Amino acid sequence: MAEMNLLQAINSALDLAMKADEQVLCFGEDVGQFGGVFRASSQLQEKYGSDRCFNTPLTEQGIVGFANGLAAQGMRPVAEVQFADYIFPAFDQIVNETAKYRYRSGNQFDVGSLTIRTPYGGGIHGGLYHSQSPEAYFTHTPGLKIVVPRNPYQAKGLLLASIQDDDPVLFFEPKRLYRAAVGDVPEDAYTLPLSKAEIVREGQDLTLVAWGAQVEVAEAAAQQASESGIECEVIDLRTLLPWDSDTIAESVRKTGRLIVTHEAPRTSGFGAEICATLQEMCFLSLESPIMRVTGLDTPFPLALEKEYLPNALKLVDAIHDSLNY
Amino acid sequence: MAEMNLLQAINSALDLAMKADEQVLCFGEDVGQFGGVFRASSQLQEKYGSDRCFNTPLTEQGIVGFANGLAAQGMRPVAEVQFADYIFPAFDQIVNETAKYRYRSGNQFDVGSLTIRTPYGGGIHGGLYHSQSPEAYFTHTPGLKIVVPRNPYQAKGLLLASIQDDDPVLFFEPKRLYRAAVGDVPEDAYTLPLSKAEIVREGQDLTLVAWGAQVEVAEAAAQQASESGIECEVIDLRTLLPWDSDTIAESVRKTGRLIVTHEAPRTSGFGAEICATLQEMCFLSLESPIMRVTGLDTPFPLALEKEYLPNALKLVDAIHDSLNY
Amino acid sequence: MSDQRHWAEHQVNQPVFSDSLQQAIPTFCVLQTDGQVYPDATMPDIDQSLAQKIYRTSCFIRALDERMLASQRQGRISFYMTETGEEAADIGSCAALTDDDLIMGQYREQGALAFRGFTVDQFMNQIFSNEQDLGKGRQMPVHYGSRELNYMTISSPLTTQLPQAAGYAYGMKLRGQSSCVICYFGEGAASEGDFHAALNMAAVKHAPVIFFCRNNGYAISTPAHEQYAGDGIASRGPGYGIRTIRVDGNDMLAVLKATQDARAYAVESQKPVLIEAMTYRLGAHSSSDDPTGYRSRKEEQLWRHKDPVERFKLWLMAQGWWDEAQDQALKEEYRQSVSNAMKRAEKIPAPHLRDLVTDVYQQVPAHLEAQFASLEAHIQRHPEAYPKTAGRLHHG
Amino acid sequence: MSDQRHWAEHQVNQPVFSDSLQQAIPTFCVLQTDGQVYPDATMPDIDQSLAQKIYRTSCFIRALDERMLASQRQGRISFYMTETGEEAADIGSCAALTDDDLIMGQYREQGALAFRGFTVDQFMNQIFSNEQDLGKGRQMPVHYGSRELNYMTISSPLTTQLPQAAGYAYGMKLRGQSSCVICYFGEGAASEGDFHAALNMAAVKHAPVIFFCRNNGYAISTPAHEQYAGDGIASRGPGYGIRTIRVDGNDMLAVLKATQDARAYAVESQKPVLIEAMTYRLGAHSSSDDPTGYRSRKEEQLWRHKDPVERFKLWLMAQGWWDEAQDQALKEEYRQSVSNAMKRAEKIPAPHLRDLVTDVYQQVPAHLEAQFASLEAHIQRHPEAYPKTAGRLHHG
Ligand SMILES: Cc1ncc(C[n+]2csc(CCOP(=O)(O)OP(=O)(O)O)c2C)c(N)n1
Ligand SMILES: Cc1ncc(C[n+]2csc(CCOP(=O)(O)OP(=O)(O)O)c2C)c(N)n1
Ligand SMILES: [Mg+2]
Ligand SMILES: [Mg+2]
């Protein structure tokens, strides 16, 4: 065990993956000598050489296209997109290619060994283009797996599992936590299961579902609610596709109430899918409508970021609304 | 009034828009002399010259980027993306640029005059890449308007409204209906309201919501259900963003039951947003869970397209499930 | 120092603009229209057996394309694309490769696949989307693929295969394989952003890939002069630092020679090469297209005189390696085998229902199993509505 | 006939590959490091007043950049980007334009904006995201924009402005305006697919746009030789059929002259031009970056000797158009005015809550009104948690 922040945990996962398997490559803009603008790939070029860890030209569609080719060839690429806000030029390569490679070829070719890492989310004064949470866009794409860790321990175990997994994984890293989240992390390799949600706090009055940096917001809200005697169950979804509806349903059958929270704009955020599925699975158990506490339906702002973001206070208000329904 | 198919209605709208306003331009791959691979822009180059109606090089990101620039300059571009399956290379220009132009500049610059037209949907033996219904991807993007017509009359009125509208509009044309849907259409210009759903069949037992080609499937299901004494209200959503939840909520408060149907895969399709919003708006009125009858969570197949698509038979089964809940 | 740019050496004190087309890139030709080799032309490495294999493949593709286009008109298949007029481009280039070189096509390179040994039945099973299609009946006709033959499954979105080719080739290089990727694309596809990303990344990362552009004058209805304003696609190569050659795409020997040299260079120096083959699509873009809307019969006629297969046949005959009797027999043989294979393929049933949900992921996830179960139950309730699958549930 | 390709004229019978870098594109220079003009160099059209305006703007930008970087280090602002070392590129080129030419920048072209007349207060209001920012405090510092000054609001996603520039310029052309667009971008941004789409479309559609590449050797930490393998960005121009020139980007006179000629050509012939200015980013990429991780101080030092502002000042003084006393006074004046403006901007409150939801659409739609109402109610319940906005509700 060592104390690591989330970035160090990511770096450790990449390091161990490259050490264990020669076919693992890490690349992206500034990923090489410099170690990435956040330093997630720090020292990797030094350790494993510039054939396996390198800078790419500045083209996200090229990075993911190149990575698709490498994966089809049998390599195990871990491509970085510098900010999730800049993943959109690669949307076609991800949605039309990565996701459909295996299906369209009748399983003759696949890019299952691919992992795409990208820092996402707000809270760092990034404004429109350094704050977005675009995960929901990808959840509408069968063939992809989507993973979001909430802390250093989760980050390392989930990233190692993603790299080993034989389906393509989009790995969203909550950049607000890169240095802010610190915790004990085993130094050796370990994996955590994909497509499995985790109950991070038990309670019987209401279920809160979140992922990434929003989990600690939900935990804070649960803590505050608990002070007025309301016990929330907090669930970290961890994998958004294919996702674990059973764990949530079980909780909701117990609590009768559900709130989903995410930073992304409300309309067609992944909260919508959770509501849609859970109202069907738990129709007879629900005592109030499922609520969503999310970013506004606007681009991400700068000066009024605090007003925009779904914080613990907003969640506590929603918890009361749900209980008083 | 003249009898037109959906393509002719589109062509008529483009023709009238170009005639009325010199600033309207139509362009895209094969849109010029040839009039588009479906012939939606037939004769327009002949009538309005190759400065205003032209072929572009084969680059969707370029087409939309170019259109964004034209719109920012004050022109009123109508850009065609040849198939909705090929809109993804333009995703960045649409989601990061088109949608955020006005907001980020504090309303100094905008591309509100832009319309992007694209044929979408299945039922034409198109397989993975000539059948997709990607509308839901865009519904998660504040700043865009998304419009889908169900028949020739709607297509002309909604397209003219979209072109005149001062927000950017994505206009999805159900290509299965291009020649199959025929109806009476005024020869002159007229507009239909955006962001307003329409009740196309009244009923009190259950509400069916659809858009585009799926509306006639819902109508067929309603007809079949009616034969066993179940009266469905069928609503054509018409605009998916910003969308008219009130019309649906009013209907559901009356019927107590709601089914949403779309061709796109279920997970995070726009049906999810409708479920999420309506279960909140109509919690106390719902007598059974909101159900979704959609495409499977797979890429779009070829040989088994019939099995994949949400047809009237599947809807009728779901109607019974909802009533027997 | 990390700044390794060199540019200050060559200074001028007058504003000299480099103009486009200052110096056109020449076109490499070996074979004249009458089947004679240009005097002093550099010949490819070719013997009788290779020459005959190339010619046979070309004839097979003509037979296939003709019959399938006719079948489409008869409504027996939904869609087809011919490569008529462009056989020298893909067959001539593919003949320069070894079998472990990967082929990534656009969609009009069935010739390369036939050259590799894809059987007439394999073609038919794909075209008829039956349960023996290697692609499991999921994609439209002509979207072939064969892992066994190192022929990547075709994907309709244009140009996506180009950056993938660079990555695939880079993987080969890291493994120390002495093979390369050949990646075909049209002059229309070359306008996509992925083209730019691919050529630049391949150049920077020294990936052994042959970018092979079939410049056939049209992208559906769009003529080349509305597609680009420079000197074709070849003129872009040097800008990326990529070795480049333009070749007469209707000249089997020139294409073969250029690709042999390109392959040797790509594999030995582990770098990309760009080949632009100037040719013409004699048929329609696809069975959905009607070229009379955008070009004249006269223009097509002009190009019929440059038919790459006829030209190559004349050369073969001049070598004494082929005669008319053989030619008639071969063509009849292919007509028959295509026709017979078509009849076989039509009788093979559609894929099983289970093929709808497999291969989305390595394993069918729980939510998709649930969707499948409810679909199966639905079909069992209404078997008459699903004739392709209802009789064969629980087989998968 | 629609096939207008020309290529058959220039044949060869040997496989000649065109090699990259066969002939490097020369660099146009006018001004030597010591402020002397090269003998016989072609001078731009410049008089004392223009020369002084250029120089004053450069000094203002230096003062702004220095002070803002310091403020960022003090934690008074969250982020900043300097253009130190590259002033000749944007200011020299912008000085060749007329006021109705549109400027589309990447983010490191505040000099062009200052030249157009953006006031020091306007800069500060944007940097401090206060309620007087023309962009309503929505974007990070340095994302300026001014409709009045024909300076398009900066957008962080790289290269998206390039195809937009082509479209904007095409719109100008259709209106018969005799103006053009200048579009700035880095050599890193030139790797994006949008670059390719933009240059090709501008060439094909004959759009009067000047594509101006600031090749400053780095894209964050990535040196140019890991960005491309060809001869810079200029070598790509001819491939698109675009007139192209490379210029010493630290040479104010050469940049001015090249852009004057480019503008004349773009507007008269209604066609695009590509300019590549070779320069160097003397500072960090941004306030979040530390260049010691990827390059040496020695390299930076080398470039400090080529400082474009110093070089231009020497020339100005040699003309008798400037002296040291003026210089000291000007610099002091700018230091003061920047400092005063900063103090003013810091005191101006944040934007109103209403600015969160306006301008998403032309009118705030119903669902967003509902979200706004519930946010407002929430803030009213918890005013202490939202100090920026709680005191000023119902003002919008
Ligand atoms: C991304 C994308 N955009 C558009 C299309 C539709 N489309 C299919 S083929 C084609 C023309 C391609 O022309 P070219 O690359 O020259 O190849 P050719 O057909 O001439 O062999 C177009 C526009 C597509 N398949 N993919
Ligand atoms: C699409 C996109 N990808 C990545 C980034 C992150 N990013 C911002 S600036 C930059 C480097 C740009 O380099 P260059 O174009 O050479 O301009 P310079 O900073 O040298 O002026 C990168 C990678 C971005 N803003 N947009
Ligand atoms: Mg072509
Ligand atoms: Mg740079």
Side-chain angles (χ1 to χ4, degrees), chain B residues 60 82 86, chain C residues 106-108 156 158 186-189 214 216 218-219:
Chain B
E60 293 76 14
Q82 198 164 82
Y86 307 135
Chain C
Q106 176 159 307
Y107 47 61
R108 210 184 290 288
S156 320
L158 287 167
E187 88 293 341
R214 296 181 291 92
N216 63 7
Y218 291 89

Side-chain angles (χ1 to χ4, degrees), chain C residues 65-343:
Chain C
D65 282 353
E66 270 173 30
R67 190 68 195 86
M68 289 299 101
L69 195 61
S71 302
Q72 195 281 332
R73 297 222 174 97
Q74 296 164 348
R76 291 164 82 170
I77 59 174
S78 59
F79 178 81
Y80 194 72
M81 297 178 100
T82 69
E83 68 167 70
T84 312
E86 300 182 59
E87 293 88 347
D90 64 329
I91 301 173
S93 55
C94 172
L97 308 177
T98 67
D99 284 350
D100 46 359
D101 294 333
L102 181 82
I103 298 175
M104 294 185 104
Q106 176 159 307
Y107 47 61
R108 210 184 290 288
E109 298 88 3
Q110 51 266 45
L113 183 56
F115 188 90
R116 278 280 166 98
F118 209 59
T119 68
V120 64
D121 287 312
Q122 287 178 314
F123 275 106
M124 286 302 156
N125 293 334
Q126 199 287 326
I127 293 170
F128 283 89
S129 323
N130 66 33
E131 69 171 15
Q132 282 177 34
D133 167 24
L134 294 175
K136 304 188 185 168
R138 290 169 182 155
Q139 290 207 79
M140 286 173 73
V142 318
H143 290 65
Y144 314 107
S146 168
R147 157 66 74 188
E148 196 191 335
L149 300 177
N150 277 316
Y151 191 98
M152 177 65 75
T153 300
I154 301 298
S155 162
S156 320
L158 287 167
T159 329
T160 51
Q161 79 276 23
L162 270 73
Q164 294 172 18
Y168 201 106
Y170 184 73
M172 286 174 155
K173 167 172 131 163
L174 288 196
R175 289 189 203 277
Q177 295 171 4
S178 53
S179 51
C180 69
V181 176
I182 192 164
C183 180
Y184 295 101
F185 57 99
E187 88 293 341
S191 294
E192 291 280 3
D194 272 354
F195 167 89
H196 180 59
L199 271 78
N200 190 41
M201 288 189 78
V204 170
K205 298 307 301 169
H206 294 188
V209 48
I210 302 168
F211 292 108
F212 193 104
C213 180
R214 296 181 291 92
N215 185 334
N216 63 7
Y218 291 89
I220 309 187
S221 76
T222 304
H225 66 275
E226 298 186 9
Q227 192 67 244
Y228 55 75
D231 177 22
I233 306 304
S235 65
R236 299 179 191 164
Y240 295 109
I242 293 184
R243 286 198 98 183
T244 299
I245 191 168
R246 172 174 289 154
V247 63
D248 179 345
N250 286 23
D251 176 340
M252 198 69 85
L253 295 176
V255 171
L256 179 62
K257 173 63 183 164
T259 315
Q260 284 172 343
D261 285 11
R263 184 184 187 282
Y265 172 80
V267 171
E268 277 155 31
S269 66
Q270 296 285 302
K271 283 189 183 164
V273 195
L274 172 62
I275 301 178
E276 181 180 27
M278 307 307 291
T279 178
Y280 190 85
R281 158 164 68 69
L282 279 175
H285 169 71
S286 75
S287 56
S288 318
D289 176 48
D290 174 10
T292 58
Y294 53 85
R295 70 189 192 190
S296 67
R297 291 230 180 275
K298 201 174 131 216
E299 178 183 304
E300 294 178 14
Q301 217 42 51
L302 241 148
W303 277 93
R304 265 182 228 290
H305 293 301
K306 307 190 196 174
D307 186 323
V309 183
E310 277 306 303
R311 202 196 293 190
F312 187 60
K313 174 180 151 192
L314 293 175
W315 179 77
L316 263 190
M317 298 194 4
Q319 306 304 299
W321 291 350
W322 198 250
D323 63 31
E324 272 301 338
Q326 279 176 292
D327 207 57
Q328 292 307 319
L330 183 73
K331 285 174 179 166
E332 184 49 32
E333 178 195 325
Y334 284 146
R335 260 195 295 276
Q336 276 305 325
S337 80
V338 167
S339 179
N340 294 339
M342 189 169 75
K343 283 176 204 142

Side-chain angles (χ1 to χ4, degrees), chain A residues 60 82, chain D residues 106-108 156 158 186-189 214 216 218-219 285:
Chain A
E60 293 77 15
Q82 199 165 81
Chain D
Q106 176 159 308
Y107 47 60
R108 209 184 290 288
S156 322
L158 287 167
E187 89 293 340
R214 296 182 291 91
N216 63 6
Y218 291 88
H285 169 70

